[in-house]
Amino acid sequence: MASRKKVLLKVIILGDSGVGKTSLMNQYVNKKFNNQYKATIGADFLTKEVMIDDRLVTMQIWDTAGQERFQSLGVAFYRGADCCVLVYDVTSPSSFKNLESWRDEFLIQASPRDPENFPFVVIGNKVDLADSRTVPTKRAQQWCSEKNNVPYFETSAKEALNVEQAFQTIAKNALAREKEQDTYEDVPSIVNVGNDQNRPQSSSCNC
Amino acid sequence: MNEQVEFEKSEVYIHDKPIEEDINGLLIEPEKVGGRLQIVKNKYSNFIRFLPNGSEASAPDDWTLVMNSSVLSYSKDTTNETCTIENKKNLNKYKYQFDIHELSSVRRIYQGYGIPCIVFMLLDGRLLPEFYFYKGGSKEFLYALKEYLVFKKDVADPRLWSVQPQNGEKFRQSLYELSLFSEQRENVMKKFLNEPVQSTLLGFSKVTNILRDVIKPTESSSKSQFYTQDFNLDKQEQSDEISDLMDSLIDDNIHSTQNDGYEMVTKVDLGPMPDLNRGPALKKEDIVFDHNGKILQPEKIKQIIFRGGVENGSRKFIWKFLLNYFDWDSTDQSRTEKRKMRFDDYYRMKQQWQTITEEQKAKFSLLKERESLIEKDVQRTDRIQEQFKMDDSKHLIEMKDILMTYNMYNFDLGYVQGMSDLLAPIMVIMENEVDSFWCFAGFMNKKELNFEMDQLDIKLQLNNLKILIEFFDSKFSDYLDKNDSSNMYFCFRWILILFKREFSFREINTLWEVIWTDLPCKNFHLLICISILLMKKDDIMSNNYGFNEILKFINDLSGRIDLEKSLKHAEGLYLQLKNYPNVPYNICEIVGLSVDITKELEQIQSRLLSTDFNEENKLTPTSSFHSLKKHDDSAELLDHLN
């Protein structure tokens, strides 16, 4: 039986600079949009209480800096994540292309247990800018299906389109993960020195 | 027998199978192999060894150095070789031994059951199985290891301790060059200035060890010999008195904490915080020129700025000096010439990127990428400021142009987020594109390392911040350690963009001016961080904030920090340091306080030589005692000295 203790779900939002990570978080938590959010320096988080399947959970949503060089300090935040949200901008092909490395980077730095089944959610943001859209839905869907069927959402943080739905799924998947993990406080992790290109290994072995 | 077990921890276990979860979510008890984890010394080197219970009978000398989880690391030349292997086959699988110098890093974690566990990684990348310390003692083991190796705690992951490579040789050398008890002292200062902090600390720690060994003789004959010959002490009793005295000094008066593999032993009674006043801002009338237009007494002007900032009307002029646009000894004429040159230079560089065609850009993805990043950030930098408010403001275009031109000027660094934050206040003061650019470039010259790809300098600054906290408030420092916050990451934003997001535009002008004077010491911005943290630490500690909450709390301080108070307090901290006689060397290094090491060492030596052992007061801790770390090669050193 799952206990009814208070659950905290840690969600990390990653993606290139300017894809709308801060905006998505603020739209979801505060129902606000502002197109002049400052570039995130370092990291910050917001919390929101939500009901998932009759269960009250607190989501702690982490917003991080999008520029690559700041990722080396990210490990402190990735630890203990229950779900990772990968965001790209549907008007920016490079931000879509970089999802792969964001995913890899997360798995390396967070070293989650059972990385193959770690819950990711992909968000294509800024669909309100339909005229300048360059990444077709199909392409994104295909990528997601290749990655062990990662759930995919297209949102507009500006127009509050689909944001709620995306985060519902994020919360659900994070909670499922949490339940699974309940008894683990700290997961085994591989020391990964200087070889970032390596795909993270599963910590379990067959010896 | 040619080897000696120097440290041993029993009741250590390897799990045969990794901890697994069954369908009901319960943990399956893993197969455990119990044994002893040892540090062993033979004539060649030191080894870390795991000895499963019941396998100890074999001849230890013959163990191979390298192991592999599936290969036996076992001996050959005992007579009952086959028999032994046969009998102990299963257990031998779990024997591990490797040379201590093969160790790359150690990670100490808590596994599923909350059992402390140590993971060794070797230089070739291999991982040993996790060693579980069922009865505790993992920390003790790590401390024992620190006697042999120099570790550095990872800034981002406090559980990870990396072995610092090759330092052993360096330290030994630097210690010889210290010439503690010989005549060549002139090299000492130079050596210390050239050596990084760590080797300095270690050098000192060795000094301390020599002193301790001298005072507290061990079984080592060479040490005893040294001790009787050079100090003419031949009675055990006397030495015991001294060692008791040493111990009492260390135990009672000196606070001890651990950081980065060094044991910091500091006694901090800095006295009361000096009562300081800030002064009035620099006025136009304060700036006096000679007949050529050269500024008189620039040092005095910097002093005024340090105390009170600059009046808004004089900023446009004086910032150009603070940001090395003009030299302080420039004349009217040289400034006019320089400015003209600067204009030409700027427009030449601006043209470089402006003349790139779309076609060319399509094949120049790096430039395109940077341009897009700059455009995004310009749209969201200080838009509440009057100058940047309107979407069609010419200042937004200017900002982009300056950042794009800076990208051409310093293409290796390029554009990094945070730069636009540093630029905006300068633009507001300068009201001119070219002047803004060069002042920004001057600012970037000071802060460039913050934006480097490897982020090493930021990590170093965060680390220095922790060292300072440890010195000024060891209790708060301990609190941060216990709450996973010893990486000081929550100060990242403060440091990266020099508090830009923490204060109002008006205040940031003053704060930056103060910092740009480079007064009163190196890294004054770190003392400002400390000052703010010390003012807020009670909130953090009384609310029992952990890593997440501390970060949130610090982020949310934005706009609520008293600048004048922080500056006063930071200056007070500096003065306390300056007036404190025994500032640890690493602190001196951080803030750039000079230390006369030669004098210090002479003092220690003369104190030792003339110590009257009945007078307790003569042995007071000096800065050399602030860092203690035991080393076994002091005996070697003594041989060398003898």
Side-chain angles (χ1 to χ4, degrees):
Chain A
M1 276 297 287
S3 65
R4 290 278 142 181
K5 65 171 181 161
K6 204 172 171 192
V7 178
L8 180 77
L9 301 177
K10 185 170 178 179
V11 176
I12 315 283
I13 309 182
L14 299 178
D16 277 9
S17 180
V19 294
K21 298 181 290 297
T22 308
S23 298
L24 280 165
M25 177 178 80
N26 269 293
Q27 180 56 261
Y28 177 59
V29 176
N30 298 323
K31 309 267 173 256
K32 274 184 204 155
F33 178 80
N34 177 343
N35 60 8
Q36 289 162 10
Y37 286 122
K38 290 179 179 180
T40 306
I41 304 274
D44 202 357
F45 65 88
L46 290 176
T47 52
K48 183 182 169 107
E49 295 210 321
V50 280
M51 290 296 289
I52 309 285
D53 303 335
D54 297 334
R55 196 164 171 192
L56 185 67
V57 299
T58 305
M59 284 176 80
Q60 186 184 74
I61 305 165
W62 283 78
D63 180 25
T64 55
Q67 204 168 1
E68 189 195 345
R69 72 190 64 202
F70 297 125
Q71 291 311 307
S72 65
L73 296 140
V75 64
F77 311 112
Y78 296 176
R79 199 180 304 142
D82 298 298
C83 180
C84 176
V85 186
L86 302 171
V87 186
Y88 78 96
D89 170 356
V90 296
T91 70
S92 158
S94 61
S95 74
F96 174 71
K97 211 179 99 207
N98 286 336
L99 288 184
E100 186 84 34
S101 57
W102 282 111
R103 182 177 176 275
D104 289 350
E105 187 67 15
F106 174 82
L107 289 173
I108 288 165
Q109 297 222 19
S111 308
R113 217 177 142 267
D114 193 13
E116 290 302 312
N117 294 312
F118 184 87
F120 285 93
V121 169
V122 171
I123 291 181
N125 191 36
K126 306 194 188 179
V127 289
D128 51 291
L129 302 173
D131 292 345
S132 22
R133 174 157 194 160
T134 44
V135 183
T137 306
K138 262 194 179 161
R139 218 176 125 200
Q141 280 171 338
Q142 194 194 336
W143 188 84
C144 289
S145 65
E146 283 165 12
K147 303 291 171 212
N148 212 354
N149 286 319
V150 172
Y152 175 64
F153 292 87
E154 295 198 339
T155 63
S156 162
K158 188 179 180 178
E159 292 172 0
L161 198 78
N162 233 1
V163 176
E164 190 67 38
Q165 289 85 333
F167 276 92
Q168 278 285 334
T169 301
I170 291 161
K172 261 189 192 165
N173 293 0
L175 184 65
R177 167 88 178 173
E178 247 281 325
K179 276 181 187 163
E180 246 173 55
Q181 293 260 107
D182 247 0
T183 27
Y184 295 92
E185 191 201 299
D186 202 341
V187 293
S189 42
I190 303 283
V191 187
N192 222 319
V193 180
N195 198 356
D196 289 353
Q197 299 311 309
N198 274 356
R199 278 291 298 277
Q201 303 159 280
S202 162
S203 56
S204 54
C205 58
N206 304 321
C207 55
Chain B
M1 194 177 274
N2 289 329
E3 68 164 20
Q4 194 184 330
V5 175
E6 304 220 312
F7 183 88
E8 187 179 86
K9 194 80 218 164
S10 57
E11 303 262 27
V12 176
Y13 292 83
I14 300 178
H15 289 186
D16 193 16
K17 280 183 271 178
I19 293 174
E20 273 174 3
E21 199 177 19
D22 77 5
I23 347 159
N24 300 319
L26 294 167
L27 288 169
I28 298 169
E29 183 73 7
E31 293 256 344
K32 292 185 294 190
V33 179
R36 291 172 291 161
L37 198 58
Q38 302 175 322
I39 299 172
V40 188
K41 186 182 184 170
N42 71 11
K43 59 187 169 186
Y44 303 111
S45 189
N46 289 294
F47 301 89
I48 294 174
R49 170 197 292 171
F50 180 74
L51 211 55
N53 293 334
S55 69
E56 44 276 278
S58 52
D61 283 343
D62 299 315
W63 290 37
T64 48
L65 305 188
V66 185
M67 55 82 237
N68 189 312
S69 59
S70 56
V71 171
L72 303 188
S73 55
Y74 199 53
S75 65
K76 283 181 187 157
D77 41 340
T78 50
T79 44
N80 55 348
E81 175 197 339
T82 32
C83 171
T84 316
I85 291 178
E86 201 56 36
N87 286 346
K88 303 195 178 293
K89 196 176 171 187
N90 288 333
L91 284 172
N92 282 335
K93 202 170 88 181
Y94 299 107
K95 275 184 191 169
Y96 292 96
Q97 176 165 313
F98 61 92
D99 190 308
I100 213 157
H101 295 106
E102 277 192 72
L103 188 62
S104 158
S105 69
V106 184
R107 189 184 281 258
R108 184 171 161 272
I109 50 181
Y110 284 88
Q111 285 298 25
Y113 297 94
I115 302 157
C117 154
I118 283 182
V119 188
F120 296 105
M121 190 189 206
L122 304 189
L123 287 172
D124 60 7
R126 276 178 302 161
L127 277 174
L128 267 66
E130 292 139 353
F131 292 101
Y132 291 83
F133 290 69
Y134 274 67
K135 296 276 161 74
S138 61
K139 232 178 183 170
E140 205 182 318
F141 183 81
L142 280 186
Y143 288 149
L145 260 190
K146 280 200 247 159
E147 309 256 293
Y148 308 88
L149 296 167
V150 181
F151 287 95
K152 179 138 176 53
K153 186 153 62 175
D154 194 274
V155 174
D157 182 357
R159 302 173 303 178
L160 180 63
W161 300 70
S162 316
V163 176
Q164 296 297 287
Q166 293 153 3
N167 281 352
E169 269 319 299
K170 241 189 218 170
F171 296 148
R172 210 161 291 152
Q173 204 188 344
S174 72
L175 187 57
Y176 287 155
E177 286 182 32
L178 249 174
S179 308
L180 188 58
F181 297 104
S182 75
E183 294 310 308
Q184 305 161 315
R185 293 207 181 89
E186 59 275 20
N187 286 336
V188 173
M189 196 63 189
K190 205 174 135 200
K191 181 74 196 169
F192 268 75
L193 288 176
N194 293 337
E195 287 289 318
V197 182
Q198 289 172 346
S199 46
T200 309
L201 276 172
L202 264 145
F204 268 119
S205 71
K206 289 185 179 178
V207 172
T208 314
N209 268 297
I210 296 164
L211 297 179
R212 290 197 117 187
D213 290 337
V214 163
I215 292 161
K216 200 172 189 171
T218 64
E219 306 77 23
S220 160
S221 60
S222 61
K223 284 176 198 170
S224 313
Q225 209 180 359
F226 173 82
Y227 153 81
T228 48
Q229 280 175 1
D230 287 43
F231 293 93
N232 208 17
L233 300 168
D234 48 9
K235 285 181 190 163
Q236 180 74 34
E237 291 166 49
Q238 283 184 333
S239 64
D240 283 344
E241 272 179 55
I242 291 289
S243 67
D244 287 349
L245 175 58
M246 285 277 294
D247 287 343
S248 73
L249 279 170
I250 287 162
D251 290 341
D252 301 344
N253 301 336
I254 305 173
H255 185 80
S256 158
T257 55
Q258 269 83 45
N259 177 54
D260 292 350
Y262 303 111
E263 196 168 331
M264 291 286 296
V265 180
T266 47
K267 179 197 181 190
V268 183
D269 179 12
L270 292 164
M273 172 63 72
D275 193 20
L276 292 162
N277 285 316
R278 301 273 305 151
L282 182 87
K283 295 186 289 290
K284 209 176 169 192
E285 305 86 84
D286 295 327
I287 312 167
V288 188
F289 304 89
D290 74 2
H291 61 283
N292 287 325
K294 193 174 142 183
I295 293 180
L296 295 171
Q297 294 184 296
E299 288 313 311
K300 199 179 138 197
I301 287 177
K302 282 188 219 168
Q303 284 287 348
I304 297 174
I305 298 172
F306 174 70
R307 268 282 120 60
V310 183
E311 266 189 6
N312 210 38
S314 297
R315 283 192 165 125
K316 195 183 288 192
F317 179 69
I318 214 76
W319 277 24
K320 296 193 180 93
F321 293 85
L322 291 170
L323 293 170
N324 299 319
Y325 183 117
F326 295 141
D327 297 328
W328 285 96
D329 59 1
S330 59
T331 61
D332 270 339
Q333 197 198 337
S334 70
R335 286 197 289 269
T336 311
E337 284 163 12
K338 185 127 184 203
R339 189 151 184 252
K340 193 190 164 297
M341 217 170 72
R342 298 279 207 186
F343 266 68
D344 295 345
D345 270 352
Y346 177 75
Y347 286 111
R348 185 178 45 78
M349 290 188 291
K350 186 173 173 179
Q351 264 199 343
Q352 288 173 349
W353 63 267
Q354 283 193 324
T355 52
I356 290 175
T357 60
E358 282 305 314
E359 190 190 354
Q360 203 182 349
K361 210 183 277 179
K363 296 176 169 60
F364 195 172
S365 58
L366 190 54
L367 186 83
K368 210 173 133 190
E369 202 178 285
R370 288 182 186 174
E371 184 174 18
S372 126
L373 192 55
I374 288 170
E375 279 170 350
K376 275 175 187 160
D377 281 359
V378 166
Q379 291 305 320
R380 50 185 179 163
T381 302
D382 293 310
R383 292 297 298 275
I384 50 168
Q385 288 301 311
E386 206 46 53
Q387 288 83 346
F388 308 119
K389 207 172 255 172
M390 305 306 288
D391 282 339
D392 57 354
S393 157
K394 75 176 176 98
H395 294 104
L396 292 180
I397 299 164
E398 245 178 53
M399 188 186 277
K400 180 197 159 177
D401 289 357
I402 292 172
L403 291 170
M404 283 298 287
T405 307
Y406 184 78
N407 175 50
M408 295 313 289
Y409 172 70
N410 189 355
F411 199 83
D412 287 346
L413 186 64
Y415 173 74
V416 184
Q417 290 195 312
M419 287 185 183
S420 65
D421 275 276
L422 298 189
L423 171 60
I426 292 175
M427 288 180 67
V428 171
I429 295 296
M430 289 299 147
E431 299 178 299
N432 171 293
E433 184 178 334
V434 181
D435 292 340
S436 296
F437 173 83
W438 286 108
C439 284
F440 170 67
F443 195 3
M444 281 306 300
N445 269 340
K446 292 172 187 271
K447 285 286 138 197
E448 194 173 341
L449 290 177
N450 279 6
F451 297 95
E452 284 291 341
M453 193 65 185
D454 55 21
Q455 291 287 291
L456 279 180
D457 201 70
I458 289 277
K459 288 174 189 171
L460 178 73
Q461 290 180 70
L462 292 173
N463 202 34
N464 284 342
L465 209 51
K466 184 64 181 20
I467 292 170
L468 288 168
I469 276 284
E470 240 162 28
F471 177 76
F472 282 109
D473 193 324
S474 57
K475 200 175 146 198
F476 184 45
S477 171
D478 286 348
Y479 179 88
L480 294 174
D481 289 340
K482 282 183 193 118
N483 288 281
D484 300 325
S485 297
S486 50
N487 55 27
M488 305 298 282
Y489 194 89
F490 49 86
C491 292
F492 176 80
R493 191 172 75 191
W494 293 4
I495 287 176
L496 183 79
I497 48 172
L498 269 189
F499 306 100
K500 167 67 180 358
R501 300 268 177 102
E502 320 313 319
F503 294 101
S504 70
F505 235 64
R506 191 180 50 77
E507 286 171 318
I508 208 67
N509 288 338
T510 308
L511 175 60
W512 285 359
E513 285 157 0
V514 169
I515 292 173
W516 291 339
T517 63
D518 292 326
L519 293 171
C521 63
K522 203 169 96 181
N523 284 321
F524 186 61
H525 70 288
L526 295 183
L527 290 181
I528 298 173
C529 293
I530 299 290
S531 123
I532 301 170
L533 288 175
L534 292 182
M535 287 192 285
K536 302 293 176 188
K537 64 161 183 169
D538 289 341
D539 292 321
I540 293 172
M541 285 160 74
S542 64
N543 286 306
N544 238 328
Y545 288 153
F547 175 83
N548 295 338
E549 292 92 345
I550 295 174
L551 182 103
K552 189 81 191 157
F553 174 76
I554 296 288
N555 278 349
D556 291 352
L557 281 181
S558 173
R560 297 192 290 116
I561 304 171
D562 186 331
L563 178 64
E564 292 296 304
K565 212 171 145 189
S566 306
L567 287 173
K568 266 193 257 181
H569 191 238
E571 192 189 352
L573 293 174
Y574 165 72
L575 289 174
Q576 283 184 320
L577 277 180
K578 201 179 151 209
N579 297 326
Y580 184 65
N582 302 315
V583 180
Y585 193 82
N586 53 352
I587 306 278
C588 291
E589 179 111 328
I590 294 167
V591 296
L593 278 180
S594 62
V595 190
D596 188 345
I597 293 167
T598 317
K599 213 174 113 196
E600 294 254 322
L601 292 177
E602 277 172 1
Q603 278 174 5
I604 300 166
Q605 194 181 355
S606 67
R607 228 176 262 150
L608 271 170
L609 290 170
S610 66
T611 299
D612 175 355
F613 297 111
N614 296 320
E615 274 185 57
E616 293 204 3
N617 290 339
K618 285 210 172 173
L619 253 190
T620 53
T622 73
S623 62
S624 311
F625 289 86
H626 286 284
S627 157
L628 283 183
K629 188 169 183 290
K630 278 195 176 171
H631 265 266
D632 270 2
D633 47 10
S634 43
E636 256 176 71
L637 168 85
L638 297 176
D639 287 338
H640 173 81
L641 290 171
N642 286 334

